[in-house]
Amino acid sequence: MKILCLHGVGSSSGICESQFRAFLKLTDPSYEFVFIEGPALSERGPGMGSFFEGPFYSHTTGYSPNEMADALDHLETNIEELGPFDGVLGFSQGAALALSYMYQQQIRGEPMPFKFFLCFSSVIPFSADAGYCQDIIQRLYALQWDVTAPANSPVLTGDERIFCDVLLRTVIAAKEKGAALPEYSMDVYNNDDGSKAPRIMHAKLLKEKLQIPTVHVRGKRDFDFMHGMSDIAYGMCEGKLARQLEHRGGHQPPQQDAEVRSVIRAMEWAISQSERTPMHRL
């Protein structure tokens, strides 16, 4: 069993491996976990302990469609060079990157390189598709809408309210806590043609659910905006193929043996589900 592992923002492959030490210790020793580095140098990630030494990396330089496309291309190169893989494990930004990539593969009808997904404390996923939500972004620009304002205005359509509400509860809330990297200004939704505006992904704005067995894990003591982000990630996945677990910690993988074993049991469930779920593989 070979699993690709993606770190969070402002982190590194080595830091991520150390964060998952408790999980790796109790997992079947025949499983191979491959931790890779994001391509972009970054400042230290939000909440990253001072005992962790750099350099630090991000999987993206930003979240515009072009920047996300570059990030997904880099991920695909690693999959081709280091794979094949059975599954993917993502933490925080790495989890969101994996979601964005797998959804892109599915919606395009292209081969899926993973049979299952372990999603730890995902941040909000962004799309590399410039056409996705473009009508919403163009309307926000035409209205010169302040995306930091309450999203319940009758001026907005239903989809526009969803888009703006998600921004408020996740990205803007994270920015207020100094926990948004790479940083970007909300003015991007009111400038030019909106081509650089990040396309936040949400189940109600997407055409379909991700059809791959997934295990979603989050910390009970994580920020409320992070709970909102992980709920959005969970909502993007087909319900009958997804499980959600919560441990007692914060924005980190579980550390207690009992909680780690619960995640491992859920992982084994996802593997068993993948064996009966036909998927077109790379």
Side-chain angles (χ1 to χ4, degrees), residues 9 38-42 58-63 67-68 71 93 97 181-182:
V9 70
L41 281 171
S42 171
S58 169
H59 294 287
T60 68
T61 54
Y63 299 108
E67 289 166 319
M68 284 303 303
Q93 187 198 60
L97 182 77
L181 281 179

Side-chain angles (χ1 to χ4, degrees), residues 251-262:
H251 194 65
Q252 64 189 80
Q255 302 299 313
Q256 301 299 317
D257 278 6
E259 294 177 329
V260 172
R261 291 186 193 280
S262 292

Side-chain angles (χ1 to χ4, degrees), residues 59-86:
H59 294 287
T60 68
T61 54
Y63 299 108
S64 70
N66 285 343
E67 289 166 319
M68 284 303 303
D70 289 343
L72 299 190
D73 286 346
H74 180 265
L75 174 58
E76 188 161 75
T77 297
N78 275 282
I79 293 168
E80 292 170 351
E81 293 180 353
L82 302 175
F85 294 98
D86 296 288

Side-chain angles (χ1 to χ4, degrees), residues 102-224:
M102 289 187 290
Y103 188 83
Q104 176 178 277
Q105 292 294 104
Q106 179 176 297
I107 206 74
R108 291 179 175 178
E110 295 180 356
M112 186 67 73
F114 310 113
K115 294 187 288 186
F116 63 92
F117 174 36
L118 307 177
C119 180
F120 289 83
S121 301
S122 181
V123 297
I124 188 80
F126 295 93
S127 176
D129 179 5
Y132 166 71
C133 286
Q134 178 66 0
D135 55 340
I136 292 175
I137 290 165
Q138 287 178 338
R139 267 267 299 167
L140 295 178
Y141 173 71
L143 293 169
Q144 284 297 290
W145 184 260
D146 178 4
V147 295
T148 66
N152 57 356
S153 170
V155 173
L156 302 177
T157 67
D159 284 353
E160 290 162 0
R161 284 195 290 271
I162 291 169
F163 189 92
C164 292
D165 182 62
V166 171
L167 272 178
L168 278 171
R169 292 188 294 107
T170 60
V171 177
I172 293 171
K175 287 170 67 68
E176 289 173 351
K177 295 287 186 180
L181 281 179
E183 177 68 72
Y184 73 90
S185 170
M186 291 297 102
D187 291 343
V188 73
Y189 291 102
N190 298 127
N191 292 335
D192 303 320
D193 59 357
S195 62
K196 296 180 181 179
R199 270 66 168 165
I200 53 173
M201 302 177 77
H202 189 280
K204 291 183 178 180
L205 301 174
L206 297 168
K207 293 180 179 179
E208 55 192 63
K209 297 286 187 85
L210 186 64
Q211 301 293 319
I212 184 172
T214 61
V215 175
H216 298 256
V217 185
R218 71 182 190 186
K220 184 176 183 179
R221 295 185 304 177
D222 210 342
F223 288 112
D224 286 345

